[in-house]
């Protein structure tokens, strides 16, 4: 049943990844700026790659629940 749904999305050219919420992105940027952290420093604090932070902030990041939770804990949403 799931395979049929995925095939339909592929055929309709409607297969998309989940994205991070715009609220999370805004709060993440605000947190970084308030704490005078650049993306690299923020990524190091979270122990995740710099590219991941860059992709999330530019709304290109593919949703990862583990990273989402790390960010939320860091900024205490």
């Amino acid at each position: 049943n799931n395979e049929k749904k995925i095939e339909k999305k592929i055929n309709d050219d409607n297969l998309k990844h989940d994205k991070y919420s715009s609220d999370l992105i805004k709060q993440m940027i605000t947190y970084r700026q308030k704490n005078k952290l650049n993306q690299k420093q923020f990524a190091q604090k979270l122990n995740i790659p710099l590219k991941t932070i860059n992709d999330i902030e530019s709304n290109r990041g593919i949703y990862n629940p583990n990273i989402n939770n790390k960010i939320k804990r860091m900024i205490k949403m």
Side-chain angles (χ1 to χ4, degrees):
N1 195 16
N2 271 347
E3 288 179 23
K4 288 181 182 179
K5 287 180 186 178
I6 292 173
E7 283 181 29
K8 181 172 178 9
K9 285 184 177 184
I10 291 170
N11 291 335
D12 295 344
D13 199 27
N14 195 19
L15 191 61
K16 296 181 179 146
H17 293 287
D18 290 337
K19 298 273 186 179
Y20 290 89
S21 74
S22 58
D23 279 348
L24 176 73
I25 295 168
K26 287 175 192 170
Q27 290 177 349
M28 189 170 100
I29 293 169
T30 302
Y31 175 87
R32 273 196 323 97
Q33 291 171 343
K34 278 184 182 176
N35 291 282
K36 296 181 172 67
L37 298 170
N38 60 31
Q39 287 183 341
K40 183 177 182 180
Q41 292 165 327
F42 190 62
Q44 287 173 336
K45 281 178 93 82
L46 291 169
N47 198 27
I48 58 177
L50 169 59
K51 182 173 179 356
T52 302
I53 296 297
N54 187 282
D55 287 348
I56 292 169
E57 287 190 6
S58 58
N59 206 21
R60 291 186 314 248
I62 297 171
Y63 183 80
N64 179 323
N66 294 329
I67 292 174
N68 189 61
N69 289 335
K70 279 184 173 187
I71 293 168
K72 283 183 174 183
R73 280 194 307 270
M74 174 71 70
I75 64 176
K76 293 178 179 68
M77 281 183 65

